[in-house]
């Protein structure tokens, strides 16, 4: 999917710039082929295709902050370049690993929400993998904090759930 | 936090006039039904919604202002409406942050201003797109929230907002043990951690071959998983069994004595098929008189095992009622891949003291270990032999050879 959008309209579209407006009101200029990777932007551009001048279009992305967008854009750009070439999956995986390795837990969560909202599924998949790795064999409390989730269970409910599979709670990592 | 709670109480007040609303049970019901996303409980709750609204006015979803102002239901009816939706077990809707999952398809639906057009819920449109474009598009179910005094907002940094498929994916990338524990994180995780899509991944890919003829196929995948952990399934005319190891979901097998006998694995003239006693998983077992010529050999094709797993084979037996001390006789065990035997043997005594108790007087002795990488190793041979003529003789009841994963991998 990534390669088709970038290779078909190679030079002309990649030079065109689109402006994305983040939730905090910042405007970011991106190549059109990168913008097209974001589903809301793609839909917006399709619906405004009668607009002759792409440069005049400002795509609002009210669910993503500028900080997150500015991390996402280089990733998507490089990933597009990578997948346009006949490279091995290994290389893409190495690239993804490199991108995710140094992400803080908070950033990971923000990116995951953004990737979900923007419909960047290949990134979402990678981020899910990383999240799964990071919460493996961790205590429930750790995972809640990791994901910023409040405990909605009553103590009774929690005790009941614990009692169903006590073996699952033995020997988890120290928080 | 306290302040927030108080304020959200204020929001609820209009709905608490008659009858007084007991929020707790309602909320539990929501969670049990798995219909409603946490944080978007329908009404009368300490909700994240309330908080979001208070904290982040700027995050209010486009269009939600309209919804709020355009409540088609008088207060009392809102409750009824909400209850109706919640009580309807067949309702496929779940709130999911600012999105709604309808039978795992993310849909958004145009809403005629103010009317609650349930019939349009099945429409499939591109998610996300309407959000930006058209204010009149709101998410299905948001009427309920809007009516109840809460509003549909975008939640920042709340991973509860991830769609269920994402949470399911994360959980399915962990282990059955992790999944069982992660159910406790929050109700959203619980419904994902119980879902078929997660447990289907934990079940071995070929499980259906073992259960195709039984009623188990209709079970929820999680229930099936634990059923297979606790109740191994018999196959090959009830002479062998297949099951799962609980923590990892890896495959376990037991070749029954009869199965080994029928596959010429017992070179012993004095063996007698007898009906099984309590605690054996097979209907028939074999009574063996220990003497110098006893050899037992079970051979397994490695593709049947789970990949990347360390396995161990166990000799499962018990002593006949009257025994004459075979526990002092040494027995040699060998476990190896055919064609790559290094001649290493493991000498054990059939000593109950040194064996693992399996209940009902059945005991097991470890025969040896082997490692499966990709399943293309060929054939694994589990062998038992008597190294020297026995000075004392005895009788054992042989149940079978069990192969199951070793801990640590």
């Amino acid at each position: 999917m990534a390669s088709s959008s970038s290779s078909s309209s190679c030079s002309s579209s990649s030079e065109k710039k689109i402006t994305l407006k983040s939730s905090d009101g910042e405007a970011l200029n991106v190549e059109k082929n990168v913008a097209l990777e974001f589903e809301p932007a793609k839909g917006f551009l399709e619906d405004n295709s009668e607009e002759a001048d792409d440069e005049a279009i400002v795509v609002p992305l009210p669910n993503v902050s500028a900080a997150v967008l500015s991390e996402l854009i280089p990733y998507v750009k490089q990933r597009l370049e990578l997948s346009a070439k006949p490279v091995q999956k290994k290389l893409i995986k190495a690239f993804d690993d490199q991108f995710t390795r140094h992400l803080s837990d908070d950033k990971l969560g923000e990116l995951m929400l953004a990737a979900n909202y923007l419909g960047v599924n290949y990134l979402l998949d990678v981020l899910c993998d990383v999240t799964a790795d990071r919460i493996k064999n961790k205590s429930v409390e750790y995972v809640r904090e990791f994901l910023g989730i409040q405990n909605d269970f009553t103590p009774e409910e929690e005790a009941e759930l614990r009692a169903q599979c006590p073996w699952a709670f033995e020997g988890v990592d120290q928080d | 936090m306290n302040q927030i709670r108080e304020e959200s109480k204020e929001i609820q007040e209009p709905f608490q006039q008659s009858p007084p609303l007991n929020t707790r049970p309602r909320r539990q019901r929501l969670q049990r039904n798995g219909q409603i996303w946490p944080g978007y409980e329908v009404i009368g709750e300490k909700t994240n919604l309330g908080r979001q609204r208070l904290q982040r006015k700027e995050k209010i979803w486009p269009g939600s202002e309209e919804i709020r102002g355009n409540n088609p239901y008088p207060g009392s009816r809102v409750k009824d409406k909400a209850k109706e939706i919640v009580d309807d077990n067949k309702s496929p809707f779940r709130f999911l942050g600012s999105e709604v999952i309808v039978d795992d398809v993310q849909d958004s639906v145009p809403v005629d201003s103010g009317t609650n057009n349930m019939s349009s819920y099945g429409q499939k449109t591109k998610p996300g797109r309407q959000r930006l474009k058209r204010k009149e598009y709101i998410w299905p179910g948001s009427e309920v929230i809007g009516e109840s005094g809460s509003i549909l907002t975008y939640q920042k940094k709340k991973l509860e907002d991830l769609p269920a498929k994402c949470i399911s994916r994360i959980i399915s990338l962990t282990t059955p043990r992790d999944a069982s524990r992660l159910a406790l994180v929050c109700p959203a995780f619980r419904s994902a951690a119980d879902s078929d899509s997660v447990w289907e991944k934990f079940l071995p890919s070929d499980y259906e071959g073992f259960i195709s003829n039984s009623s188990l196929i209709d079970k929820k995948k999680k229930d099936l998983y634990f059923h297979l952990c606790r109740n191994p399934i018999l196959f090959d005319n009830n002479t062998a069994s297949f099951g799962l190891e609980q923590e990892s979901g890896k495959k376990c097998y037991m070749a029954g004595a009869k199965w080994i006998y029928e596959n010429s694995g017992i070179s012993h003239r004095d063996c007698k098929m007898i009906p099984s006693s309590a605690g054996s998983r097979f209907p028939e077992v074999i009574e063996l008189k220990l003497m110098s010529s006893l050899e037992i050999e079970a051979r397994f094709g490695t593709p049947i095992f789970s990949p990347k797993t360390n396995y161990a084979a166990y000799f499962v037996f018990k002593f006949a009622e009257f025994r004459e001390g075979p526990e002092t006789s040494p027995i040699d065990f060998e476990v190896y891949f055919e064609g790559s035997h290094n001649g290493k043997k493991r000498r054990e005594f059939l000593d109950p003291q040194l064996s693992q108790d399996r209940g009902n007087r059945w005991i097991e002795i470890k025969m040896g270990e082997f490692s499966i990488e990709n399943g293309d190793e060929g054939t694994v041979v589990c062998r038992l032999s008597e190294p020297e003529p026995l000075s004392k003789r005895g009788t054992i009841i042989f149940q079978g050879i069990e192969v199951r994963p070793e801990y640590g991998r």
Side-chain angles (χ1 to χ4, degrees), chain A:
Chain A
M1 129 186 129
S3 57
S4 66
S5 65
S6 62
S7 60
S8 60
S9 50
C10 191
S11 60
S12 60
S13 83
S14 61
E15 281 162 19
K16 279 187 183 170
K17 295 267 188 177
I18 301 285
T19 306
L20 304 178
K21 196 174 169 202
S22 70
S23 61
D24 36 1
E26 253 183 72
L28 293 99
N29 278 325
V30 297
E31 285 82 1
K32 189 174 179 184
N33 64 342
V34 173
L36 284 174
E37 290 295 294
F38 303 144
E39 270 182 22
K42 193 178 171 196
F44 189 92
L45 290 172
E46 277 170 11
D47 293 335
N48 293 280
S49 52
E50 68 275 10
E51 197 92 33
D53 187 8
D54 279 341
E55 310 252 337
I57 299 177
V58 178
V59 182
L61 294 175
N63 283 4
V64 196
S65 69
V68 171
L69 265 183
S70 56
E71 293 224 20
L72 266 175
I73 290 167
Y75 169 83
V76 169
K77 199 176 161 185
Q78 277 187 283
R79 177 74 195 242
L80 273 180
E81 285 167 11
L82 261 184
S83 44
K85 294 177 207 155
V87 290
Q88 289 174 314
K89 278 191 174 169
K90 251 195 209 164
L91 272 176
I92 293 183
K93 182 157 189 331
F95 170 69
D96 287 339
D97 283 349
Q98 197 193 347
F99 177 70
T100 53
R101 195 178 305 141
H102 303 294
L103 289 178
S104 69
D105 294 347
D106 284 347
K107 187 63 96 191
L108 183 67
E110 284 177 27
L111 281 172
M112 212 157 21
L113 286 175
N116 175 50
Y117 165 68
L118 295 171
V120 189
N121 288 327
Y122 47 86
L123 176 59
L124 190 56
D125 286 352
V126 172
L127 296 171
C128 284
D129 293 1
V130 175
T131 307
D133 264 356
R134 292 193 189 178
I135 62 175
K136 255 185 207 167
N137 211 36
K138 300 284 193 240
S139 72
V140 172
E141 292 74 20
Y142 179 94
V143 176
R144 279 190 197 130
E145 198 175 316
F146 181 94
L147 298 171
I149 288 172
Q150 275 184 315
N151 179 15
D152 279 342
F153 290 117
T154 63
E156 296 79 36
E157 284 172 320
E158 194 165 332
E160 193 191 322
L161 282 171
R162 268 180 202 273
Q164 281 174 12
C165 49
W167 53 276
F169 296 90
E170 289 159 9
V172 295
D173 296 349
Q174 290 290 309
D175 292 348

Side-chain angles (χ1 to χ4, degrees), chain B residues 247-292:
Chain B
E247 302 234 337
S248 62
K250 307 227 166 160
K251 293 185 267 187
C252 309
Y253 294 94
M254 187 158 175
K258 190 179 175 189
W259 187 89
I260 296 171
Y261 178 79
E262 285 175 349
N263 287 278
S264 329
I266 302 179
S267 65
H268 196 298
R269 263 173 284 167
D270 198 359
C271 62
K272 198 167 74 184
M273 204 81 67
I274 56 168
S276 184
S277 55
S280 163
R281 69 178 61 158
F282 306 107
E284 286 171 296
V285 290
I286 287 179
E287 190 182 86
L288 286 171
K289 290 217 162 32
L290 291 179
M291 48 196 287
S292 56

Side-chain angles (χ1 to χ4, degrees), chain B residues 6 11 19 36 77 162 204 231 233 278 291 302 395:
Chain B
E6 275 167 25
I11 296 169
I36 308 281
R77 283 189 59 201
L162 282 174
N231 312 285
I233 290 201
M291 48 196 287
T302 54
T395 305

Side-chain angles (χ1 to χ4, degrees), chain B residues 29-67:
Chain B
R29 187 169 63 225
L30 294 174
Q31 289 164 0
R32 255 201 313 279
N33 289 346
Q35 303 284 329
I36 308 281
W37 206 251
Y40 290 88
E41 298 87 355
V42 176
I43 36 170
E45 303 261 343
K46 165 213 82 138
T47 63
N48 287 338
L49 286 168
R51 187 179 67 198
Q52 291 298 321
R53 174 171 159 203
L54 297 165
Q55 287 176 343
R56 299 194 165 270
K57 282 229 157 84
E58 76 277 16
K59 293 287 183 197
I60 288 171
W61 200 254
S64 53
E65 298 286 0
E66 296 161 21
I67 306 160

Side-chain angles (χ1 to χ4, degrees), chain B residues 114-337:
Chain B
T115 59
N116 202 353
N117 187 1
M118 296 292 281
S119 63
S120 64
Y121 276 13
Q123 283 183 20
K124 208 168 163 183
T125 49
K126 273 188 198 167
R129 190 167 143 190
Q130 284 81 8
R131 283 197 237 182
L132 291 170
K133 267 187 62 199
R134 303 201 192 287
K135 284 207 160 124
E136 70 269 27
Y137 279 102
I138 58 164
W139 303 99
S142 54
E143 305 90 343
V144 181
I145 298 173
E147 286 153 14
S148 67
S150 302
I151 44 158
L152 194 61
T153 57
Y154 168 66
Q155 270 186 308
K156 194 164 180 275
K157 287 187 203 171
K158 278 282 167 220
L159 288 169
E160 295 167 5
D161 277 4
L162 282 174
K165 69 171 163 75
C166 249
I167 299 179
S168 294
R169 185 187 159 101
I170 292 171
I171 295 177
S172 67
L173 288 164
T174 63
T175 65
R177 204 171 96 94
D178 286 312
S180 304
R181 193 173 54 251
L182 288 170
L184 237 83
V185 167
C186 68
F189 265 64
R190 187 181 171 191
S191 68
D194 286 349
S195 69
D196 277 1
S197 63
V198 164
W199 289 90
E200 178 95 48
K201 285 241 174 81
F202 293 147
L203 288 164
S205 52
D206 57 351
Y207 77 93
E208 281 176 324
F210 292 99
I211 63 165
S212 53
N213 292 326
S214 73
S215 59
L216 292 172
I217 203 105
D218 296 329
K219 272 185 183 263
K220 274 202 78 186
K221 295 288 182 284
K222 184 181 179 180
D223 296 338
L224 174 64
Y225 177 92
F226 285 106
H227 182 90
L228 290 175
C229 294
R230 287 160 198 159
N231 312 285
I233 290 201
L234 298 182
F235 62 98
D236 278 8
N237 290 323
N238 298 337
T239 58
S241 80
F242 159 81
L244 299 178
E245 197 266 328
Q246 182 167 269
E247 302 234 337
S248 62
K250 307 227 166 160
K251 293 185 267 187
C252 309
Y253 294 94
M254 187 158 175
K258 190 179 175 189
W259 187 89
I260 296 171
Y261 178 79
E262 285 175 349
N263 287 278
S264 329
I266 302 179
S267 65
H268 196 298
R269 263 173 284 167
D270 198 359
C271 62
K272 198 167 74 184
M273 204 81 67
I274 56 168
S276 184
S277 55
S280 163
R281 69 178 61 158
F282 306 107
E284 286 171 296
V285 290
I286 287 179
E287 190 182 86
L288 286 171
K289 290 217 162 32
L290 291 179
M291 48 196 287
S292 56
S293 62
L294 177 63
E295 278 182 40
I296 296 176
E297 188 179 282
R299 299 155 63 85
F300 303 93
T302 54
I304 65 169
F305 296 108
S306 297
K308 298 196 178 6
T309 305
N310 294 333
Y311 276 98
Y314 294 85
F315 182 66
V316 181
F317 71 103
K318 69 176 169 185
F319 291 103
E321 300 297 333
F322 304 102
R323 65 171 200 258
E324 303 170 39
E327 63 265 30
T328 54
S329 317
I331 298 277
D332 281 344
F333 293 118
E334 298 156 85
V335 174
Y336 57 91
F337 292 119

